[in-house]
Amino acid sequence: MMPTPLFYQTHLPMHLSRKLLLLLALWCGGVAQAVAQEYNWQATVPAPAQSGYHSILLSPEITGQLQQDLADIRLYDAAGTEVPYLLRTEEPVQYRKLFRPYKIVSYTHRAGCCSELIITNQEQQKINNISLLIRNADVQKQVALSGSDNQQDWYVLKAKDLLYAIENTQGTTEVKLLNFPLNDYKYLRLVLNDSSSAPLNIINAGYYDTHPESGKYTLIPQQGFSRTDSAATKKTYLRLQFPQPVYPERLEFEINSPALYYRPARLLTKTESSTGRRRGLFRKQKRRLQQSATSLPFTLSSNTPATVELPRRQVEELVIEIDNADNPPLDVAAVKAYQLNRYLVANLEAGKPYTLQFGDEKATAPTYELQHFRADIPTDAPVLEAGGTTALQAAAKSTKKPASKILIWVALAIILAGLGWMTVRLLNEMKKP
């Protein structure tokens, strides 16, 4: 009988071994991933009073434990199921367009002739357009515009213009803009030709004003605030200490005196400032702070608000250096630090508790399909404030991580042992006649 070829003697065991090694490798990777996705902190979210989208305000205590892009935070329901969310951040300044109506003095109609709309520019601002809010109508109208200061003597501004088809598919009204030469007449008269159709239903007339609005900020709690005036360097040093890492984005100074001041200043961190001995500075200790190009210069002036916008970065303390030159030191009563409000916007169920888990430098940002529906999610959703942070079983984590690492090493040892066994077996089979 012919001997069984070596291939058939070893094919089945090697095939099974490879499957075993593959399973071990996958298990090892799963263990490593489990170690990498551990969050260090959690916070409770109050149960909403009604179902729907809510904005969960992230406190400085929460954001201070996060990565700069807030990638390492997750929202869970009571069953431990991950809840998708949108991340929204306030802008320092937002520009909104507001419709400001003019007072309509009269709107009269003459059958088979025309309609006459008179509005008043009470403050006699210089204007060159009017926005008309009109009920939908599939029609075109010829219009003429004139101005007056007494409603008796009228002067032409535009002899002829045309209002095209007025139809808004998304609503029952439409805004139409009429442009004309710049003027400051107290009264404006708009005459519409109604000879071939009924009058238009003009609801309002006015203009759009761009209105700046400041974003909403949250005060960052401080652990300590100290001030030191150095006669030797002619400088004042202010030190803000925080109980944990934070991301300050605005400083507001409370300066009592003098009434008039103009002082160059700059913001320092632990990696900034100059070297040397400064007597009386921070408990008269010698401090070494290296020069850095990232120091932030600014000016404190009595002619402008005592507010400084900061680049967003994580700190545990801030040091501010004020150059007094030959002037008396500023009487700075306090310096308040703020961060822009940041929210997780999620669809929550009424009466259900939720929790946040966060704080993992290795975590990556989640990918939720909600990002494709930003325009459909309300921007004025009710706000819920997350509670204080608590550590996620710090003692258990300290023992869990080494145990997980041991499991990984055991898996690697088994894989190496399997490879060694396969090699020895193959060599033995090859030695057989």
Side-chain angles (χ1 to χ4, degrees):
M1 178 180 291
M2 294 289 293
T4 304
L6 180 62
F7 173 78
Y8 291 100
Q9 292 179 355
T10 60
H11 181 268
L12 183 58
M14 290 181 65
H15 179 66
L16 294 175
S17 299
R18 287 170 183 167
K19 284 188 174 181
L20 177 61
L21 293 175
L22 179 60
L23 290 173
L24 288 172
L26 291 174
W27 174 69
C28 180
V31 173
Q33 185 176 7
V35 173
Q37 293 299 323
E38 291 180 352
Y39 296 98
N40 299 313
W41 304 91
Q42 76 173 11
T44 58
V45 178
Q50 59 187 18
S51 297
Y53 283 97
H54 290 71
S55 296
I56 303 172
L57 177 62
L58 303 179
S59 66
E61 189 177 8
I62 294 175
T63 58
Q65 303 293 348
L66 296 175
Q67 300 174 24
Q68 188 166 9
D69 60 357
L70 279 66
D72 52 330
I73 185 168
R74 301 294 185 269
L75 176 64
Y76 297 99
D77 62 16
T81 303
E82 187 171 340
V83 180
Y85 65 80
L86 276 180
L87 180 62
R88 281 182 175 164
T89 304
E90 293 274 352
E91 295 293 335
V93 179
Q94 303 177 53
Y95 293 93
R96 302 184 185 275
K97 278 192 172 182
L98 301 178
F99 183 79
R100 302 194 181 277
Y102 292 119
K103 180 181 179 181
I104 296 179
V105 178
S106 63
Y107 185 32
T108 58
H109 313 286
R110 283 185 288 173
C113 175
C114 53
S115 297
E116 183 180 87
L117 174 69
I118 299 179
I119 64 173
T120 177
N121 178 15
Q122 195 67 36
E123 298 177 359
Q124 292 190 270
Q125 299 178 1
K126 294 180 179 181
I127 59 175
N128 61 1
N129 67 83
I130 297 176
S131 293
L132 300 175
L133 183 63
I134 306 173
R135 293 288 291 269
N136 285 346
D138 187 8
V139 69
Q140 294 182 359
K141 293 281 187 178
Q142 284 190 355
V143 297
L145 187 70
S146 55
S148 172
D149 288 324
N150 54 18
Q151 292 192 74
Q152 295 180 0
D153 303 314
W154 294 94
Y155 304 96
V156 65
L157 283 171
K158 203 162 192 177
K160 184 184 293 186
D161 203 344
L162 190 65
L163 279 178
Y164 289 92
I166 303 160
E167 185 175 2
N168 183 354
T169 59
Q170 304 298 323
T172 59
T173 60
E174 175 71 2
V175 175
K176 286 295 180 180
L177 181 67
L178 286 178
N179 294 305
F180 44 80
L182 188 68
N183 72 92
D184 60 355
Y185 285 118
K186 188 174 182 179
Y187 299 96
L188 295 174
R189 181 176 66 181
L190 185 68
V191 179
L192 299 91
N193 187 345
D194 295 334
S195 60
S196 59
S197 62
L200 287 173
N201 187 355
I202 300 178
I203 300 173
N204 217 332
Y207 65 99
Y208 281 92
D209 182 24
T210 302
H211 175 67
E213 290 184 0
S214 297
K216 296 181 177 64
Y217 288 79
T218 296
L219 179 66
I220 300 176
Q222 295 182 29
Q223 189 177 44
F225 171 73
S226 62
R227 166 190 161 191
T228 301
D229 300 317
S230 173
T233 61
K234 299 182 180 180
K235 298 179 186 295
T236 294
Y237 298 93
L238 307 175
R239 185 184 184 193
L240 286 71
Q241 291 179 298
F242 305 101
Q244 62 164 54
V246 293
Y247 289 94
E249 294 171 281
R250 169 178 285 184
L251 296 178
E252 291 185 0
F253 293 77
E254 293 183 7
I255 300 176
N256 294 331
S257 63
L260 300 176
Y261 58 85
Y262 186 91
R263 306 290 169 93
R266 66 189 187 114
L267 176 70
L268 313 176
T269 67
K270 285 184 177 180
T271 59
E272 298 171 0
S273 182
S274 57
T275 61
R277 181 185 301 273
R278 296 191 180 104
R279 294 181 180 179
L281 175 59
F282 309 147
R283 300 177 183 177
K284 298 183 179 180
Q285 293 181 355
K286 179 182 178 181
R287 290 186 174 271
R288 179 182 177 87
L289 297 174
Q290 300 174 350
Q291 283 282 3
S292 172
T294 59
S295 61
L296 178 67
F298 60 93
T299 301
L300 293 173
S301 172
S302 55
N303 293 329
T304 59
T307 301
V308 179
E309 305 296 334
L310 306 181
R312 189 171 184 271
R313 59 185 176 186
Q314 190 182 54
V315 299
E316 291 191 53
E317 70 173 28
L318 293 174
V319 179
I320 301 162
E321 180 184 78
I322 303 174
D323 187 359
N324 298 316
D326 295 323
N327 305 291
L330 294 177
D331 181 8
V332 182
V335 181
K336 297 180 180 179
Y338 295 85
Q339 72 171 31
L340 278 167
N341 285 358
R342 285 169 172 78
Y343 310 91
L344 301 187
V345 183
N347 193 6
L348 307 180
E349 294 185 39
K352 298 291 183 66
Y354 294 86
T355 58
L356 297 172
Q357 292 189 12
F358 52 93
D360 182 359
E361 61 182 11
K362 297 180 181 179
T364 57
T367 302
Y368 300 128
E369 60 189 2
L370 278 182
Q371 62 183 325
H372 301 289
F373 303 97
R374 286 184 176 273
D376 301 321
I377 298 176
T379 57
D380 58 348
V383 177
L384 300 174
E385 295 189 21
T389 62
T390 56
L392 275 173
Q393 301 175 350
K397 282 178 174 287
S398 63
T399 58
K400 181 180 179 181
K401 288 186 178 180
S404 299
K405 291 180 180 179
I406 291 173
L407 290 176
I408 294 175
W409 283 110
V410 169
L412 291 175
I414 294 174
I415 292 173
L416 292 174
L419 290 173
W421 172 77
M422 289 173 60
T423 303
V424 171
R425 175 157 187 163
L426 181 59
L427 292 174
N428 290 336
E429 294 292 343
M430 292 176 66
K431 291 180 181 178
K432 291 181 180 180

